Amino acid sequence: MALLTPTKWQFRFFDVSQVKLPDDEGAFLAEPGNITAVVSGSESIFFGSADGVVRIVSPAFKVVRSFRAHDTGAITHMKQMQGTALLVTVAEDVADEPVLKVWALDKLEKKTGMPRCQSTLTIHNGRKHFPISAFAALEDLSQVAVGFANGAVTVVRGDLIHDRGARQRTVFESEEPVTGIAFREGSITTLYIATTGRIVTLVISGRGQGQPAKSLDEHGCGVGCMATDKATHDVVVARNDAVYYYGLHGRGPPYAYDGEKKMIEVFKDYVVIVSPPKTNAIPRANPLRAFGVGAADDAFNTSSFTLLNTELRFVAHQEQMTSQVKAIVSEWGDLFVLTIDGKIFRYHEKPFAQKLDILYQRNLYVLAINLAQKAGLDASQQNVILRKFGDYLYQKQDYDTAMQQYLKAIDNTEPSQVIRKFLDTQRIHNLIEYLEELHDHHKATSDHTTLLLNCYAKLKDVEKLEEFIKTPGDLKFDLDTAISMCRQGGYHDQAAYLARKHGEHELVVDVLIEDSKRYAEALAYIWRLEPEVAYINLMKYATVLLQQCPQDTTQLFIDYYTGTFRPKKDAIVIPNAPVSSGMGMGMGLGVASNAVQNLAALLPLPYMNVNAVASTPNGEQKSTLSQAQIIETSVDEPAPEYKIPKPRTAFSAFVDHAQEFVVFLEACIKSENLREDDKVDLYTTLFEMYLHTASSKKDGDRQEWETKAKKLIEGKNIPIDTSNVLLLSHLSSFRDGTILVRENQGLHFDIFRSYTSTNDTQGAIRALRKYGPEEPALYPAALAYFTSHPDTLNEAGDELHAVLKKIDDDGLMAPLQVIQTLSANGIATMGMIKQYLATTIERERQEIATNRQTIDTFRADTAAKKAELLSLAAKPVVFQATRCKVCNMPLELPVVHFLCKHSYHQRCLSVDANVEDESVECPLCSAQNQTVKAIRRAQVESADRHGVFLEALKRGRDGFAVVSEWFGRGVMGGGSGSGAGAGVVET
C-alpha cells in the first residue's frame, strides 16, 4: 500500500514549560536509574522505582502517598484502571519470576496505613528467565497479557480484583522478542502482538478462540514503538520509515515519516514520537536497536521530540531535547515528558484560536478548516474560517474557488459582504451561483430575489430562470418579488407559472391579461377555478374579457349567475385522435381547444386529468404532455354549491356591451333560481336595454326590439314599477309602453290625452273607440278636441257625428253644454250640428208632452184617493156581500166585514167575536198592504242616509230627477191605509 505523502507543515501548537518540583520531593527523580515505570490515571501520576516503591503525585506535583509495593525487584510495568482506585504493578528480579500485584488505593491497611493488596500473582514463562518486554491489561482486569524477550506471550485470566484465582497460559511463542502487546475488545477479544520481525493478531476469547495467530504484517517494531489510540482503538506502530495503523480489518494507510524512532505514544489527535538524532543513532543493521539497547544509551545523548497529526499530516510541535526521554504520560489535559536526568516537561496545547491565528498567518486555510472540523467546532465558527479563506482567494483573483468557500460559509455570512465583491459584470456567473445558494438555504430576501432575476434577464438565460422558479419543494424566495421581476423582465409565462404554482390565481389572470394579452387563456383559466375565486377574477377583468371574448365571457356570467357554474375539467388525448364535441356552452371548439392547449403549455391547469393520457396504438409508450392535445370535457357532476350573487352586481361589467347584456339578462330571467327581489332589477334593466337597442336601429329592426319590450311589460303582474316604465318609455319615445301602463292602471283618459297632446287624431280616435265604452267622459273630451282646430276637424271627419250621437244617446252632455263646447273657438258650423239640434229639440218637445200627461194622471189619481179617504172617514159603509170570501158559503153570523168591501165568517178568520184589533187584516188585501208599508218604511229609513243620496246622485243621468225623488221620500207622510184593512164584526 502506498504511503501517505509526508507534510512540510510544522507548527508550534504547544507551549512547553518545565515542572517545578518541591526541593524535598524531587530527589527520587534525579537519582539515575531510580525511576523504572511511569503511568497516569485518575487525576494522578504514578512513579515506580527500582527499589519497589510506588509514589503518587498530585496535580501540584507533590508526592501525596508512597508505599513499598514489592520487597524485591524493580517495578518495570504499571497499569492504572481508569475510573477506579486500582493499580497494577509488575516487579522483576533476576533471580525470580515476575510478580504482579493489584492494589486498592482507596482501601488502607489499619496496621501499616498502606493500600490493600487485592491479589498477588507470579507470572510464569515456562520457567525461563527472560525480562518482560511488553505488558497489557483489560480495564476490568479479567485478562492480562505479558510479553517476554524470548518471544513468548502469557495470558492471565481470572478475578484478580477479588483474588479468586487466576489461570495462566502461554498463547504465543516466537523466535523474535516480543516488543509490544495491545488488547482490542468487542464481540471478540483480540490480542495484537508485535515482535521485532512481524505483527500478528490472536483471538483469545470469543468466536475464533484457539486458532493460530494471524499475521498482519511481516515487519515488526522496536520496544516502545507500539501504542493504542483510545479514541479509535486502533493499534499504532512506529517504524523507521513510517507510522502504521492496524484496525479490525488489517493495516490501514500509513503515514510516511522517516527516521529512527525510540518511543511513541498517542495523545489526543497526535502521535508522540521520540527519536535520537541521526548523528547519534545506532545503525539500522544493529540487532540490539530493535530491543532498545545501544551504545548511545547514556544521559548525554539528545532526543528528537515530535508531536505529529497523522490524519491532517502536519507537525504540531518538534524540538531537540538535551536529555533522552525516559517516559511519556498524559494527564489533566496535558502531556508530560520525563527525561532520564529527572526533569519533567509539561506540553500544553495552545487555545484553538491561537492555532488558527498561526495558520492564518501562513494562509493555510484548508488546514485550518480541517482542523476545525476535527476539533468539532460548530458551523458558525467553521464558517468564519471559510469566509477568511474566501477573502484570501478573492484577493488572489481566484474568484471561482473563492465563491466555493463563500458558499460553504453561507449560513453565517452577511450576504451583502459577498455580493458587493461580485457585482462586476464579468463575475456575474459567480454572483448567480451565490444568490441561488442563498435561496436554497432560505436566506434570501426580496432584494436578493430581484438581483438574481435581473442577472438571469441580463444573460437572457431562460433555462436557468425556469429551473429556478420550478424548483420542487418549499418556496425559497419571495413570491411577490419573483413574479414582479418576471413581469418587468418580459418573462410573462414564468410569472404566470409561479403565480399558478402557489395558488395566486388573481396574479395568473392579471399576467395573462395585462402582460401576455392572452385573453382566451385567461378566461379558460378562470373557468377552471373554484366558484368563489372564479367570481373575484371574473368581476375584476369582466370589461376587458367582454371586449375580447364577448361570447364566452357572457356565457360564464350566465352560468355563474344562474347557479349552474361548474369548473371546467380537461382531458388529454393523443394527437389526431377524435375529439368529443362535448364542450362548455358558449365556447366554440376551435377557440376552446386552442386556448386550453396554449394554457396547458404555459402553466399547469387546475382540474387537469393528467392520468387520462392515452396510449399509442402499439401500446409501447404513452404520449407526453407536449405531444398530447388538451380539450375541454363536459361532466355530469352536480354544480358546486356557492352563494349566487345578485344580478345587479354584474350590470356595470356590461357597459358598452349592450348585445351581450341583453343575452345575460334574458338568461337570468329564464333561470329557475331567480329570486323574487331580483326580478324587478332584471325586468326593468332588460326593458331599458330593449328600448336602448331599438333607439339605435332602423325601422324594421326597431319595430322588432320595441315588440320585445312591449311583450315584456304586457300583463298585469309584471315586476316593473309603473313609474320606471313610464319614465323609460318617455325617454325613449316608446308610446306603446306608456299606453300599456295606463291601460293596466285604468288611466284611459290619460291615454286619450297623450294622443291629443301630440295632435295624433287617428290615435285619439282609436283610443276613443277602444276605451270609450268604459270611459264615457272621453266623448265630451273628444268633442272638444275634434273642434279645436280645422285640420283636426277635417281629419276626424264623420267621427264628430258619431261622438255627438253617443253623447246624445247616453245623455253625456246637456244640449246647452254641447252648444257651448262647439262655440268655444268657432271651428264647428251650424250645418255640422243641424241634425243634432233638430233631433234634440224634437225629443225635448215629446218629453215635455209626456211629462204633462203624466202630471195630469197623477193629479186625477191623487184627487180620487183623497175623496175615497174622506168617504171612509166620514160616511157610513154599506156591506152587501152575501158569501164568505174564504169558504164561499153564505154568510152566517158572526160575520166580519172589512172596509175594502170583503166579508168573512168569523170562524174562517179564526178570531174572537169581540176582536177589535187593527192588526187583523183582510186576507185578500194584506199582501198589497204589506208591500206599501215596506216601501214607506224604506223611504223613511233612507231619508237620513245622505251618503246613499250622494251615490245615487252620481250614478243618475238626470240629477234633478234624483233630487226630486229623494225630496219626495223625505216629505211624504200621513196615514198608513189602515181604513182599507180595518174590520167590523157583526154579531
Side-chain angles (χ1 to χ4, degrees):
M1 183 177 292
L3 298 178
L4 292 177
T5 305
T7 181
K8 296 181 180 179
W9 293 337
Q10 294 187 8
F11 311 100
R12 295 191 66 84
F13 283 171
F14 285 83
D15 294 324
V16 184
S17 61
Q18 184 176 353
V19 177
K20 300 294 183 179
L21 298 176
D23 295 337
D24 56 343
E25 296 184 358
F28 73 95
L29 294 175
E31 185 179 348
N34 183 41
I35 301 302
T36 54
V38 182
V39 296
S40 63
S42 299
E43 300 296 321
S44 300
I45 296 179
F46 303 87
F47 292 91
S49 60
D51 57 359
V53 176
V54 175
R55 294 176 176 85
I56 304 174
V57 177
S58 68
F61 278 88
K62 292 183 178 180
V63 178
V64 295
R65 180 179 299 169
S66 64
F67 63 94
R68 182 173 295 279
H70 297 269
D71 294 331
T72 60
I75 299 176
T76 57
H77 296 85
M78 290 191 298
K79 171 75 174 180
Q80 203 282 327
M81 304 296 106
Q82 287 292 341
T84 69
L86 298 175
L87 179 68
V88 178
T89 60
V90 178
E92 294 182 83
D93 187 25
V94 177
D96 299 319
E97 293 181 326
V99 176
L100 181 148
K101 291 185 178 182
V102 179
W103 300 91
L105 302 178
D106 58 342
K107 299 177 181 179
L108 303 179
E109 297 290 348
K110 294 182 179 180
K111 294 182 179 180
T112 62
M114 291 177 56
R116 180 184 300 175
C117 180
Q118 297 292 104
S119 60
T120 302
L121 178 70
T122 300
I123 302 175
H124 303 296
N125 184 20
R127 296 183 180 180
K128 300 174 184 178
H129 296 288
F130 281 90
I132 296 175
S133 57
F135 175 81
L138 295 177
E139 291 297 330
D140 60 357
L141 280 180
S142 60
Q143 298 190 71
V144 175
V146 181
F148 294 92
N150 67 338
V153 176
T154 298
V155 173
V156 180
R157 294 189 179 90
D159 188 354
L160 298 177
I161 298 177
H162 303 94
D163 196 16
R164 295 176 180 173
R167 293 176 290 109
Q168 300 184 43
R169 185 168 66 91
T170 301
V171 297
F172 178 79
E173 292 182 338
S174 172
E175 297 297 329
E176 301 95 6
V178 175
T179 56
I181 290 179
F183 281 104
R184 188 180 188 113
E185 290 186 280
S187 58
I188 59 175
T189 302
T190 304
L191 185 65
Y192 287 79
I193 303 173
T195 68
T196 56
R198 58 179 176 159
I199 296 175
V200 299
T201 59
L202 183 66
V203 178
I204 60 175
S205 66
R207 185 178 180 182
Q209 182 180 359
Q211 297 180 359
K214 178 182 177 181
S215 177
L216 292 181
D217 202 337
E218 295 301 323
H219 298 84
C221 66
V223 175
C225 292
M226 180 177 180
T228 301
D229 188 342
K230 295 180 180 179
T232 63
H233 303 289
D234 290 343
V235 173
V236 184
V237 174
R239 290 197 284 269
N240 292 339
D241 57 345
V243 177
Y244 297 87
Y245 288 84
Y246 296 89
L248 286 173
H249 306 290
R251 195 180 80 176
Y255 179 83
Y257 191 77
D258 196 15
E260 297 289 343
K261 298 172 182 64
K262 178 181 178 181
M263 184 186 305
I264 68 166
E265 281 291 341
V266 177
F267 172 66
K268 296 182 179 179
D269 297 328
Y270 306 102
V271 176
V272 183
I273 300 175
V274 178
S275 58
K278 295 180 180 180
T279 56
N280 296 334
I282 300 176
R284 296 182 182 181
N286 189 342
L288 296 179
R289 173 68 190 91
F291 194 60
V293 179
D297 192 10
D298 56 67
F300 300 101
N301 285 338
T302 61
S303 298
S304 176
F305 181 79
T306 304
L307 286 166
L308 179 66
N309 189 315
T310 58
E311 181 177 357
L312 300 180
R313 300 191 297 280
F314 69 88
V315 174
H317 183 84
Q318 190 174 51
E319 64 173 314
Q320 298 295 324
M321 305 187 70
T322 58
S323 179
Q324 290 191 13
V325 176
K326 177 66 176 177
I328 302 172
V329 294
S330 60
E331 192 64 34
W332 310 303
D334 291 337
L335 183 70
F336 296 91
V337 176
L338 174 65
T339 61
I340 59 176
D341 59 359
K343 295 180 180 179
I344 298 177
F345 295 93
R346 181 195 295 266
Y347 289 80
H348 178 72
E349 190 173 11
K350 294 178 182 292
F352 196 82
Q354 293 184 17
K355 292 192 291 183
L356 288 179
D357 290 338
I358 294 173
L359 296 177
Y360 294 157
Q361 292 172 6
R362 297 173 62 175
N363 296 323
L364 297 176
Y365 294 98
V366 175
L367 180 58
I369 294 169
N370 294 334
L371 195 63
Q373 293 174 346
K374 182 67 177 177
L377 265 67
D378 58 30
S380 61
Q381 294 174 304
Q382 294 184 35
N383 289 341
V384 172
I385 304 173
L386 292 169
R387 188 165 64 250
K388 289 180 177 294
F389 188 25
D391 294 340
Y392 168 72
L393 293 172
Y394 182 84
Q395 292 175 358
K396 292 180 62 178
Q397 298 184 352
D398 187 359
Y399 301 118
D400 292 339
T401 310
M403 178 53 68
Q404 295 305 314
Q405 308 311 315
Y406 290 134
L407 292 177
K408 293 177 182 178
I410 198 168
D411 288 333
N412 300 97
T413 304
E414 173 57 39
S416 60
Q417 298 177 359
V418 179
I419 292 174
R420 281 196 296 268
K421 297 177 184 293
F422 293 90
L423 286 177
D424 193 305
T425 306
Q426 297 179 353
R427 295 191 287 275
I428 192 172
H429 293 285
N430 297 125
L431 180 59
I432 288 175
E433 186 179 12
Y434 186 77
L435 292 172
E436 288 176 343
E437 195 71 16
L438 275 179
H439 286 84
D440 288 338
H441 284 72
H442 299 279
K443 292 177 63 64
T445 65
S446 59
D447 293 335
H448 298 148
T449 303
T450 301
L451 182 59
L452 177 59
L453 296 178
N454 278 329
C455 291
Y456 288 147
K458 193 173 188 66
L459 297 178
K460 300 187 183 324
D461 194 342
V462 180
E463 182 178 352
K464 288 284 288 182
L465 173 62
E466 291 195 347
E467 180 183 354
F468 173 72
I469 67 175
K470 294 181 179 180
T471 303
D474 297 336
L475 187 64
K476 299 181 296 186
F477 48 84
D478 184 77
L479 179 63
D480 293 337
T481 301
I483 294 175
S484 177
M485 291 306 302
C486 287
R487 296 179 69 178
Q488 293 178 15
Y491 298 103
H492 303 146
D493 293 353
Q494 289 75 12
Y497 176 88
L498 270 177
R500 165 67 191 100
K501 180 179 179 182
H502 299 284
E504 298 291 339
H505 304 298
E506 188 171 343
L507 276 176
V508 176
V509 180
D510 187 58
V511 171
L512 290 175
I513 292 177
E514 300 294 341
D515 301 332
S516 302
K517 309 300 181 184
R518 299 183 178 183
Y519 306 105
E521 285 90 333
L523 184 62
Y525 186 83
I526 292 174
W527 218 318
R528 282 154 181 80
L529 300 176
E530 289 294 334
E532 291 76 9
V533 183
Y535 175 71
I536 295 174
N537 287 278
L538 176 63
M539 296 306 296
K540 183 176 181 180
Y541 302 102
T543 302
V544 65
L545 290 175
L546 281 169
Q547 181 69 32
Q548 302 297 330
C549 309
Q551 185 178 0
D552 299 336
T553 305
T554 303
Q555 185 59 48
L556 179 54
F557 266 104
I558 291 172
D559 289 354
Y560 199 90
Y561 277 86
T562 56
T564 59
F565 175 79
R566 290 180 176 85
K568 293 282 187 180
K569 293 191 177 181
D570 306 297
I572 305 175
V573 297
I574 59 173
N576 302 323
V579 180
S580 172
S581 61
M583 307 293 289
M585 293 180 59
M587 180 172 282
L589 177 61
V591 176
S593 297
N594 292 336
V596 177
Q597 188 71 49
N598 295 338
L599 186 56
L602 171 66
L603 65 153
L605 285 173
Y607 302 108
M608 179 175 288
N609 185 10
V610 181
N611 296 327
V613 179
S615 301
T616 53
N618 56 16
E620 294 179 357
Q621 61 182 1
K622 291 185 176 181
S623 300
T624 63
L625 184 60
S626 60
Q627 298 170 340
Q629 180 185 15
I630 302 172
I631 64 167
E632 295 179 349
T633 59
S634 58
V635 293
D636 296 330
E637 297 179 4
E641 294 184 1
Y642 61 92
K643 183 179 180 181
I644 303 175
K646 298 182 73 62
R648 174 174 288 276
T649 58
F651 290 177
S652 60
F654 288 92
V655 175
D656 298 329
H657 300 283
Q659 183 177 353
E660 290 76 17
F661 193 22
V662 169
V663 174
F664 169 74
L665 293 171
E666 289 176 342
C668 289
I669 288 176
K670 297 176 182 178
S671 172
E672 298 178 356
N673 299 323
L674 184 61
R675 295 187 293 264
E676 290 297 327
D677 56 341
D678 293 332
K679 287 185 178 181
V680 176
D681 289 340
L682 289 173
Y683 274 85
T684 303
T685 308
L686 183 58
F687 178 69
E688 181 181 1
M689 292 308 300
Y690 281 156
L691 296 181
H692 172 75
T693 306
S695 64
S696 62
K697 301 293 183 180
K698 294 184 178 180
D699 294 341
D701 293 337
R702 179 186 180 94
Q703 185 64 34
E704 179 183 352
W705 285 100
E706 287 183 346
T707 302
K708 288 185 177 182
K710 186 175 180 179
K711 289 182 179 180
L712 187 65
I713 61 174
E714 285 180 342
K716 295 183 178 180
N717 296 321
I718 59 171
I720 308 179
D721 187 73
T722 302
S723 59
N724 288 334
V725 176
L726 290 174
L727 176 61
L728 294 173
S729 299
H730 174 72
L731 294 175
S732 301
S733 300
F734 180 54
R735 181 175 295 171
D736 290 347
T738 305
I739 293 173
L740 281 174
V741 172
R742 289 171 175 169
E743 281 184 355
N744 293 335
Q745 298 293 324
L747 303 176
H748 301 147
F749 200 94
D750 290 345
I751 297 174
F752 178 80
R753 189 161 49 195
S754 67
Y755 286 114
T756 60
S757 62
T758 58
N759 296 322
D760 186 357
T761 304
Q762 296 301 321
I765 293 173
R766 290 193 299 270
L768 181 63
R769 291 175 179 176
K770 184 175 182 180
Y771 310 121
E774 299 179 11
E775 192 73 29
L778 291 179
Y779 293 100
L783 180 63
Y785 170 68
F786 290 156
T787 59
S788 62
H789 195 275
D791 295 338
T792 305
L793 184 60
N794 292 332
E795 192 174 355
D798 295 338
E799 193 67 25
L800 177 62
H801 299 290
V803 170
L804 286 172
K805 185 177 184 304
K806 182 65 175 176
I807 292 174
D808 185 41
D809 292 343
D810 294 347
L812 301 178
M813 295 176 68
L816 182 59
Q817 292 176 319
V818 172
I819 297 301
Q820 290 174 346
T821 301
L822 295 176
S823 62
N825 46 28
I827 302 301
T829 62
M830 288 298 294
M832 296 179 182
I833 61 172
K834 180 179 180 181
Q835 183 64 36
Y836 167 76
L837 292 175
T839 303
T840 301
I841 293 172
E842 182 63 27
R843 185 178 63 252
E844 291 291 339
R845 286 176 179 175
Q846 292 179 358
E847 184 176 353
I848 291 171
T850 302
N851 289 337
R852 286 175 178 175
Q853 185 179 357
T854 303
I855 291 171
D856 293 341
T857 302
F858 285 164
R859 285 176 177 173
D861 290 344
T862 301
K865 292 296 183 182
K866 287 181 177 181
E868 184 178 357
L869 290 175
L870 183 59
S871 176
L872 290 175
K875 296 180 180 181
V877 179
V878 178
F879 299 100
Q880 298 178 350
T882 59
R883 289 185 179 273
C884 177
K885 291 296 183 182
V886 176
C887 62
N888 205 28
M889 295 295 292
L891 290 174
E892 294 179 359
L893 296 177
V895 177
V896 179
H897 301 282
F898 290 92
L899 296 179
C900 58
K901 302 299 182 70
H902 296 150
S903 300
Y904 305 90
H905 292 122
Q906 186 178 4
R907 64 176 180 273
C908 292
L909 292 178
S910 300
V911 296
D912 296 335
N914 56 353
V915 172
E916 295 181 359
D917 191 355
E918 293 184 357
S919 62
V920 179
E921 297 182 4
C922 172
L924 294 178
C925 299
S926 61
Q928 182 178 357
N929 293 336
Q930 291 300 327
T931 300
V932 174
K933 290 179 179 180
I935 293 173
R936 179 56 184 163
R937 188 166 51 249
Q939 290 177 346
V940 174
E941 291 176 356
S942 62
D944 295 331
R945 296 171 63 183
H946 304 292
V948 178
F949 166 71
L950 294 176
E951 289 294 330
L953 188 61
K954 291 179 181 179
R955 293 194 304 269
R957 295 178 57 186
D958 189 351
F960 182 76
V962 173
V963 172
S964 300
E965 179 185 355
W966 280 81
F967 179 77
R969 293 179 183 179
V971 298
M972 291 178 63
S976 61
S978 58
V984 178
V985 181
E986 183 181 356
T987 59

